[in-house]
């Protein structure tokens, strides 16, 4: 039931993006707090999989965004990293800021993404060959929509067997 509830809620959120019916409540928010909320949302999964989540934030970074939506986007990306990480490994979330943008990276040491799959992973309902049977293929699509609506960009770098890193830039 939890998987079905997640799928239904995510589909409803995606529908809101499609119909432009979302009202964002943008404020200056501390990135560390948003990341803590996202990590808390996947804590049970990371404990069950014995995957440690580490943070490395350079400075006291603030973002101008909708806190709850940004937390949703980051939660989906961190959840994805934990799900694709081997037991006993770690996921590293790093953040830094320059004059143009804030960059957040989420790096895992998991299975990686094949070259043929990498260009499709932000598409709705797309599941790569290593996706679990429970995967629906909508979390990363939702994350992309949220990040782009918050004046950001997302990209991924991966190599099979060497892990994956998601890079998020918020301008």
């Amino acid at each position: 039931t939890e998987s079905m509830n997640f799928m239904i809620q995510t589909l409803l959120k995606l529908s809101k993006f499609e119909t432009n019916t979302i009202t964002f409540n943008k404020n200056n928010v501390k990135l560390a707090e948003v990341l803590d909320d996202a990590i808390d949302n996947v804590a049970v999964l990371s404990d069950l999989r014995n995957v440690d989540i580490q943070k490395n934030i350079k400075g006291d970074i603030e973002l101008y965004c909708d806190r709850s939506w940004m937390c949703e986007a980051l939660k989906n990306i961190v959840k994805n990293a934990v799900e694709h990480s081997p037991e006993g490994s770690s996921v590293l979330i790093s953040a830094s800021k320059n004059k143009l943008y804030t960059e957040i990276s989420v790096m895992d040491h998991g299975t990686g993404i094949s070259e043929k799959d990498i260009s499709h992973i932000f598409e709705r309902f797309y599941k790569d060959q290593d996706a679990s049977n429970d995967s629906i293929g909508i979390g990363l699509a939702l994350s992309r929509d949220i990040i782009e609506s918050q004046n950001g960009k997302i990209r991924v770098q991966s190599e099979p067997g060497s892990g994956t890193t998601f890079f998020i830039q918020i301008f």
Side-chain angles (χ1 to χ4, degrees):
T1 58
E2 284 183 33
S3 291
M4 288 182 68
N5 184 47
F6 172 78
M7 179 181 67
I8 291 166
Q9 293 302 318
T10 304
L11 285 170
L12 290 171
K13 291 171 187 174
L14 282 167
S15 295
K16 287 181 179 184
F17 275 95
E18 279 183 355
T19 58
N20 293 319
T21 57
I22 293 176
T23 303
F24 292 105
N25 184 17
K26 292 184 178 183
N27 293 295
N28 286 326
V29 297
K30 293 190 180 295
L31 177 59
E33 293 174 4
V34 176
L35 286 172
D36 286 342
D37 288 349
I39 292 168
D40 286 347
N41 275 283
V42 297
V44 171
L45 177 64
S46 66
D47 287 346
L48 288 172
R49 296 188 52 86
N50 192 26
V51 174
D52 185 40
I53 302 174
Q54 302 170 355
K55 284 188 319 186
N56 180 17
I57 301 173
K58 293 183 170 72
D60 188 26
I61 299 172
E62 285 194 352
L63 295 177
Y64 184 71
C65 66
D66 183 298
R67 179 187 173 123
S68 63
W69 281 107
M70 186 59 70
C71 180
E72 177 80 21
L74 294 170
K75 173 192 76 168
N76 288 337
I77 294 165
V78 174
K79 178 180 176 279
N80 191 71
V82 169
E83 288 175 339
H84 287 86
S85 293
E87 186 172 328
S89 67
S90 63
V91 170
L92 176 62
I93 304 168
S94 300
S96 61
K97 185 172 185 154
N98 63 37
K99 292 180 181 181
L100 298 175
Y101 56 85
T102 297
E103 183 168 79
I104 305 161
S105 65
V106 179
M107 180 180 76
D108 68 47
H109 302 286
T111 55
I113 304 167
S114 72
E115 192 173 321
K116 76 174 187 72
D117 289 328
I118 209 158
S119 62
H120 300 286
I121 63 165
F122 295 112
E123 295 173 9
R124 283 183 203 175
F125 305 111
Y126 187 81
K127 298 187 330 182
D128 71 13
Q129 60 192 11
D130 295 323
S132 72
N133 291 337
D134 295 338
S135 177
I136 302 162
I138 53 178
L140 292 177
L142 178 60
S143 291
R144 182 204 57 213
D145 288 351
I146 293 168
I147 289 164
E148 288 178 354
S149 70
Q150 303 289 312
N151 199 29
K153 292 183 179 183
I154 184 169
R155 66 182 174 86
V156 64
Q157 183 177 6
S158 185
E159 198 169 310
S162 298
T164 301
T165 304
F166 285 87
F167 297 95
I168 302 154
Q169 295 174 332
I170 307 295
F171 295 89

